[in-house]
Amino acid sequence: MTTTKPKVRTEMLRPDGSPVRVLVVDDEAPLSDLLSMALRYEGWEVRSAGDGAAAVRTARDFRPDAVVLDVVLPDTDGLAVMGRLRREVPDLPVLFLTARDAVEDRIAGLTAGGDDCVAKPFSLEEVVARLRGLIRRSATATVRSESLLTVGDLVLDEDSHDVTRGGQSIRLTATEFELLRYLMRNPRRVLSKAQILDRVWSYDFGGRANVVELYISYLRRKIDAGRPPMIHTRRGAGYLIKPGE
């Protein structure tokens, strides 16, 4: 199996603007860690499990958009695990991992309803490419071009500097744009005033952190006016952006 990292292409997101979630189920820890690293490099959120029971428990909490599942597990087989997962999420995309010579495993996996199979040893690029195809076809995620940032119905084009919400154009100053871009690059993450000052203004205002509050208020007037709020304050912690509810 090669260890070359896959190149980041277009970003795939859930409809709410959060990263795609993938569950990796394999009892070979080095392989699982390497695969998880490659998927996180794509910008996806990843969790792993080493056996069938852990996979089912993790899936109930994590709610993955796709599963990479080894056919052979210590406590059961991958086909049984898929059956249990599919009872809760019928259309959950499943990519099976099989041994190179286990043709019967690949046939059984596909016959049982698996969406695709990859034989070990595999290239990380191949697994990522196949997962992207499965997730795209399942319609559980949207694909975003590299110049677009999307959170809910808010879209920011980093190339043209166009900003729209619900299809309506929003005009921002250069500083407002940089502040919004920083928030949208970190959806659902609380950003402190110090972080925002360092990233947007590039130096410490030293006691004048109220400039952040001022520009947050400017953004709210333009982004949230008459709409479900997207920009939120976490008292004593900072600010975050998430889809309006």
Side-chain angles (χ1 to χ4, degrees), residues 24-64:
V24 176
V25 186
D26 197 298
D27 64 322
E28 296 180 51
L31 185 150
S32 178
D33 291 345
L34 189 61
L35 184 51
S36 295
M37 179 190 69
L39 299 181
R40 290 190 182 100
Y41 189 76
E42 287 290 307
W44 300 346
E45 188 174 349
V46 183
R47 290 192 189 175
S48 60
D51 58 46
V56 173
R57 290 195 304 270
T58 302
R60 286 173 178 163
D61 173 64
F62 187 48
R63 297 294 178 184

Side-chain angles (χ1 to χ4, degrees), residues 211-226:
V211 70
V212 177
E213 298 175 16
L214 182 63
Y215 274 85
I216 287 288
S217 69
Y218 292 161
L219 275 185
R220 281 180 169 141
R221 292 174 194 170
K222 296 182 178 183
I223 301 299
D224 290 342

Side-chain angles (χ1 to χ4, degrees), residues 4-229:
T4 303
K5 289 183 178 180
K7 295 180 180 179
V8 177
R9 293 157 298 209
T10 54
E11 184 173 358
M12 303 188 77
L13 299 169
R14 301 181 118 201
D16 66 358
S18 62
V20 163
R21 298 177 181 177
V22 179
L23 173 61
V24 176
V25 186
D26 197 298
D27 64 322
E28 296 180 51
L31 185 150
S32 178
D33 291 345
L34 189 61
L35 184 51
S36 295
M37 179 190 69
L39 299 181
R40 290 190 182 100
Y41 189 76
E42 287 290 307
W44 300 346
E45 188 174 349
V46 183
R47 290 192 189 175
S48 60
D51 58 46
V56 173
R57 290 195 304 270
T58 302
R60 286 173 178 163
D61 173 64
F62 187 48
R63 297 294 178 184
D65 300 299
V67 179
V68 180
L69 181 59
D70 194 357
V71 171
V72 180
L73 296 170
D75 57 344
T76 184
D77 63 76
L79 304 183
V81 174
M82 182 183 68
R84 295 181 65 181
L85 297 179
R86 288 269 180 85
R87 281 198 289 272
E88 297 190 21
V89 185
D91 297 324
L92 180 65
V94 175
L95 174 65
F96 276 115
L97 303 179
T98 67
R100 174 179 291 277
D101 298 326
V103 177
E104 65 278 7
D105 285 344
R106 276 176 268 173
I107 294 174
L110 294 175
T111 302
D115 298 282
D116 203 350
C117 287
V118 175
K120 299 178 183 179
F122 49 77
S123 73
L124 297 177
E125 290 91 341
E126 179 183 10
V127 173
V128 170
R130 294 201 185 194
L131 273 177
R132 290 176 69 88
L134 292 181
I135 294 168
R136 185 181 292 111
R137 290 195 294 273
S138 72
T140 59
T142 57
V143 179
R144 185 181 78 185
S145 75
E146 292 181 352
S147 68
L148 297 182
L149 300 176
T150 304
V151 178
D153 61 350
L154 181 65
V155 180
L156 180 150
D157 191 319
E158 295 186 285
D159 289 341
S160 68
H161 281 213
D162 291 332
V163 177
T164 62
R165 182 167 182 191
Q168 296 184 343
S169 180
I170 299 172
R171 298 187 64 180
L172 301 178
T173 66
T175 302
E176 290 167 350
F177 180 87
E178 288 302 323
L179 175 56
L180 181 61
R181 171 156 58 181
Y182 185 43
L183 291 171
M184 292 181 69
R185 282 181 172 176
N186 298 274
R188 299 181 181 274
R189 177 185 173 192
V190 177
L191 302 171
S192 69
K193 289 181 181 179
Q195 288 175 308
I196 294 172
L197 283 171
D198 182 65
R199 173 61 181 82
V200 178
W201 281 270
S202 300
Y203 62 93
D204 186 358
F205 268 60
R208 294 176 55 192
N210 60 333
V211 70
V212 177
E213 298 175 16
L214 182 63
Y215 274 85
I216 287 288
S217 69
Y218 292 161
L219 275 185
R220 281 180 169 141
R221 292 174 194 170
K222 296 182 178 183
I223 301 299
D224 290 342
R227 307 178 179 98

